[in-house]
Amino acid sequence: MTVPLYLASTSPARLALLRAAGVEPVLISPGVDEEAAVASAEEAAGRPLTASETVSLLARAKAEAVLDVTVDGSPIDGLVLGGDSAFEFDGEVHGKPHEPALALDRWRRMAEIGRGTLWSGHWLIDHRGGALRSDEAFPSGGAGAVASADLTFADDLDPAELAAYVETGEPLEVAGAFTIDGRASAFITHIEGTPSAVVGLSVPVLRSLVRGFGVPWHELWTTPTAGSL
């Protein structure tokens, strides 16, 4: 019997990763104001969040944001996954640049520094039966983990190349202003860590979380027929 996986994300990269791993998730847009969530958490903590804390916070916020959503008139009945990514270099944590000027400035700095760390947060909620399931091991009904990968950039990136990349629009809505599964793949020469974490979702980490709820990983494998919202 297949256990449905609901993905609280609209990321094409995460969807492609899951499909390649044999999982066809039901897509639900979480609608989380990421900047406001981080600002609130930092105000409560009295300090900036680390990269690991940031992606953990947002992954959980996204998963929890969709629990009351109905799909085809029915409540969510399965596992719910929230994910988030951030790129850290030169002691700073970076999310999506949104603006071309910011993306270009970031790339100029990354080319100069030459390396950084991509962090991916995961939060999985057990919502089988259409309601939150919790026990002593998982009192919140959810569990999370963070994966990271260290990246090295090519040492011969030139200004014209970077400007042309930003003009494609690809880096504007992705953490770190690059995607390893897109045009930026030519700019990254070395990865140390889980490769899929660079795309925004560590498949091995997800497998571990799924198994932690007593669900065999292969019970998430599906044929590509699940709907999306």
Side-chain angles (χ1 to χ4, degrees):
M1 179 179 179
T2 299
V3 176
L5 178 70
Y6 298 82
L7 178 61
S9 171
T10 56
S11 164
R14 292 192 182 100
L15 175 60
L17 274 175
L18 288 170
R19 284 177 168 169
V23 181
E24 183 70 20
V26 178
L27 305 182
I28 306 175
S29 176
V32 171
D33 187 332
E34 299 179 19
E35 294 181 1
V38 171
S40 177
E42 289 183 337
E43 182 178 3
R47 59 171 177 80
L49 297 184
T50 65
S52 179
E53 290 171 336
T54 298
V55 297
S56 294
L57 170 77
L58 294 178
R60 180 169 184 172
K62 292 175 184 179
E64 293 179 342
V66 305
L67 294 182
D68 292 332
V69 172
T70 58
V71 178
D72 296 330
S74 299
I76 289 175
D77 184 356
L79 302 178
V80 182
L81 174 64
D84 189 74
S85 298
F87 189 63
E88 182 178 19
F89 71 94
D90 198 26
E92 298 180 10
V93 181
H94 302 273
K96 303 168 185 175
H98 300 301
E99 299 295 332
L102 180 57
L104 183 58
D105 178 68
R106 189 175 298 177
W107 260 106
R108 287 169 176 164
R109 293 175 58 200
M110 292 192 302
E112 180 180 354
I113 294 168
R115 65 183 62 85
T117 301
L118 197 291
W119 297 84
S120 286
H122 315 71
W123 190 261
L124 190 69
I125 294 176
D126 189 351
H127 211 266
R128 286 175 292 168
L132 190 67
R133 298 173 59 160
S134 61
D135 54 32
E136 291 184 3
F138 303 102
S140 68
V146 174
S148 65
D150 297 325
L151 283 71
T152 301
F153 297 107
D155 59 9
D156 61 350
L157 296 174
D158 62 66
E161 196 170 31
L162 297 180
Y165 177 56
V166 171
E167 286 178 4
T168 68
E170 181 180 278
L172 302 186
E173 299 302 325
V174 288
F178 66 88
T179 57
I180 187 63
D181 56 336
R183 290 179 174 87
S185 60
F187 306 152
I188 299 170
T189 60
H190 183 73
I191 298 173
E192 184 176 348
T194 306
S196 58
V198 183
V199 184
L201 168 66
S202 170
V203 179
V205 164
L206 175 59
R207 174 181 175 270
S208 179
L209 292 172
V210 168
R211 286 164 56 87
F213 286 128
V215 178
W217 172 245
H218 61 269
E219 290 191 2
L220 268 66
W221 292 345
T222 60
T223 55
T225 57
S228 63
L229 180 67

